[in-house]
């Protein structure tokens, strides 16, 4: 009988020893965790259609100058609140001052001409009464005086107009609001019809969106409308303020305006307007049940033996602390809703 080489015999013992280890010793230990559990039941909910919209200010004024001239000074910055009448910017009054000086000179000349015409008229009036001059000569002096008087009146009106233009050199805010946009800079030429600043009343805001005929037909002014706005943690409760009866000929959609109000809400924000278009059966779980493990959104599902397994789910809208589950769960399954952070795969859950 052949004997085993000592090295081969030692290797055989080593392999045998490794194969004799208990496999269960390498598996992670499972714990028993106390956590609240619910059994999923379908509930009826509105089917919501989300339409894109924009938050806009109900009062929005593009402030322009009534004069043409260089913008001398802009006294406000974007984001700055202003009151009605508060100075926004100033137009260089040099041209206006020149116009006032010219109008004043014209008035002086017209008044002197009127005084001369008046003196001639009074002299010819006396001469006519003494029958020294003819009636034709008298009437001519009278007409000259009337024309001079009218020209003096026109010159005075021109001076008043030129002086009145001075007040337009300083442009104030037409409303209480916030400067939301600067459209020109100091040194630019301002002209009538070309806005320099945009001022909006942020206390009166609306969300504007467009809807197809199928949604428009079921809307009524005054109805509550839910609105989701970027940057706002919770949806806003708005009120339908106006419906445009005429559809856009290109898109065949109607313009809809919703009154909204919330601290921190600003015009220009993107919004999603939610319109109820029907009813359906859905599954919902409390917000606390939805977890994020290694970047995967999911919940712990408890089987008949009480063992928890993490399952990936696709979530939908969240409302009143309840999250809609679009896929990944079925009615009748049991889901961990409390103390989920302490649960791991394979743990036994006790309610």
């Amino acid at each position: 009988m052949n004997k085993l080489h000592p090295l081969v015999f030692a290797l055989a013992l080593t392999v045998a020893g490794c194969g004799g280890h208990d496999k269960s010793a390498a598996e992670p230990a499972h714990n028993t965790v106390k956590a609240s559990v619910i059994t999923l039941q379908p509930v009826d909910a509105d089917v919501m259609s989300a339409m894109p919209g924009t938050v806009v200010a109900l009062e929005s004024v593009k402030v322009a100058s009534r004069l043409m001239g260089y913008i001398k000074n802009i006294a406000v910055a974007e984001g700055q609140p202003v009151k009605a009448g508060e100075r926004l910017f100033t137009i260089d009054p040099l041209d206006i001052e020149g116009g006032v000086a010219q109008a004043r000179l014209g008035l002086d000349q017209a008044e002197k001409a009127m005084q001369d015409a008046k003196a001639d008229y009074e002299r010819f009036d006396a001469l006519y009464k003494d029958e020294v001059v003819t009636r034709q000569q008298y009437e001519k002096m009278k007409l000259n005086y009337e024309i001079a008087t009218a020209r003096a009146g026109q010159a005075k009106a021109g001076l008043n107009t030129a002086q009145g233009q001075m007040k337009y050199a300083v442009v104030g805010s037409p409303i209480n609001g916030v400067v939301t946009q600067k459209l020109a800079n100091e040194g630019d030429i301002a002209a009538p019809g070309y806005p320099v600043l945009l001022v909006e009343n942020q206390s009166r805001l609306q969300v504007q969106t467009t809807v197809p005929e199928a949604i428009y037909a079921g809307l009524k002014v005054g109805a509550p409308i839910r609105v989701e706005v970027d940057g706002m943690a919770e949806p806003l409760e708005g009120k339908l303020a106006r419906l445009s009866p005429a559809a856009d000929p290109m898109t065949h959609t109607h313009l809809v305006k919703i009154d909204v109000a919330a601290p921190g809400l600003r015009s220009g924000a993107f919004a999603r307007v939610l319109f109820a278009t029907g009813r359906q059966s859905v599954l919902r779980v409390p917000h606390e049940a939805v977890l994020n493990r290694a970047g995967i959104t999911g919940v712990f599902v408890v089987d008949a033996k009480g063992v928890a397994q993490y399952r990936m789910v696709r979530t939908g809208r969240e409302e009143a602390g309840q999250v809609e589950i679009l896929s990944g769960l079925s009615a009748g399954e049991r889901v961990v809703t409390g103390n989920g952070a302490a649960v791991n795969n394979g743990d036994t859950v006790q309610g």
Side-chain angles (χ1 to χ4, degrees):
M1 180 174 165
N2 295 333
K3 293 185 179 180
L4 291 174
H5 190 280
L7 180 59
V8 174
F9 181 72
L11 180 61
L13 290 178
T14 302
V15 172
C18 291
H21 281 307
D22 185 4
K23 294 182 180 180
S24 63
E27 297 179 358
H30 297 302
N31 300 320
T32 299
V33 181
K34 289 187 176 182
S36 54
V37 178
I38 63 168
T39 301
L40 294 181
Q41 297 295 336
V43 295
D44 286 337
D46 289 328
V47 177
M48 308 301 292
S49 293
M51 306 302 294
T54 304
V55 180
V56 299
L58 200 58
E59 287 184 285
S60 180
V61 182
K62 294 179 179 179
V63 184
S65 169
R66 294 183 60 172
L67 306 175
M68 178 173 287
Y70 288 101
I71 300 174
K72 186 177 181 179
N73 172 260
I74 297 179
V76 294
E78 291 176 328
Q80 179 177 333
V82 293
K83 296 182 179 179
E86 182 177 343
R87 182 172 72 92
L88 299 178
F89 59 92
T90 303
I91 303 299
D92 191 338
L94 184 61
D95 292 340
I96 307 172
E97 291 171 349
V100 170
Q102 187 175 1
R104 183 175 288 113
L105 179 60
L107 177 59
D108 290 341
Q109 293 174 346
E111 287 180 340
K112 289 179 180 178
M114 182 186 68
Q115 292 172 0
D116 291 342
K118 181 180 180 182
D120 290 340
Y121 166 67
E122 291 175 347
R123 185 172 69 256
F124 269 72
D125 182 57
L127 292 174
Y128 176 67
K129 290 177 181 179
D130 293 338
E131 299 182 354
V132 175
V133 296
T134 65
R135 181 174 181 82
Q136 183 179 4
Q137 291 174 316
Y138 164 74
E139 291 293 343
K140 182 179 180 180
M141 291 300 109
K142 181 180 179 182
L143 179 60
N144 289 342
Y145 174 55
E146 290 174 350
I147 293 174
T149 301
R151 287 176 176 171
Q154 291 175 350
K156 185 174 182 180
L159 177 60
N160 291 337
T161 300
Q163 290 175 331
Q165 294 293 308
M166 286 295 296
K167 65 181 180 182
Y168 299 126
V170 178
V171 181
S173 176
I175 61 172
N176 293 328
V178 175
V179 178
T180 58
Q181 193 173 2
K182 189 169 76 169
L183 304 171
N185 297 307
E186 294 179 6
D188 289 345
I189 295 179
Y194 291 88
V196 176
L197 298 170
L198 181 63
V199 180
E200 296 181 345
N201 183 354
Q202 299 283 342
S203 64
R204 301 184 62 192
L205 298 174
Q206 285 185 334
V207 171
Q208 295 186 0
T209 185
T210 56
V211 298
E213 183 66 35
I215 295 178
Y216 176 82
L219 300 179
K220 292 183 179 179
V221 173
I225 300 291
R226 181 160 296 179
V227 179
E228 296 176 342
V229 180
D230 281 357
M232 308 296 291
E234 297 292 335
L236 305 178
E237 290 295 336
K239 184 173 71 173
L240 206 158
R242 184 167 297 180
L243 297 169
S244 176
D248 185 285
M250 298 296 294
T251 62
H252 307 291
T253 58
H254 295 262
L255 178 65
V256 176
K257 299 180 180 181
I258 300 103
D259 287 335
V260 291
L265 189 61
R266 293 287 182 267
S267 64
F270 176 77
R272 288 169 295 276
V273 186
L274 306 178
F275 296 97
T277 56
R279 301 280 291 179
Q280 69 176 3
S281 181
V282 300
L283 294 176
R284 288 176 176 169
V285 299
H287 173 80
E288 296 77 12
V290 181
L291 305 172
N292 189 301
R293 294 287 176 93
I296 298 175
T297 300
V299 299
F300 276 108
V301 179
V302 180
D303 63 16
K305 296 181 180 180
V307 178
Q309 293 294 331
Y310 192 71
R311 186 183 299 176
M312 183 175 66
V313 297
R314 185 163 65 93
T315 60
R317 293 173 47 242
E318 181 173 348
E319 181 179 354
Q322 297 287 314
V323 180
E324 182 179 351
I325 301 299
L326 302 178
S327 63
L329 295 176
S330 301
E333 290 188 303
R334 300 168 65 214
V335 173
V336 175
T337 60
N339 199 27
V343 180
N344 293 297
N345 274 331
D347 286 351
T348 300
V349 175
Q350 291 183 349

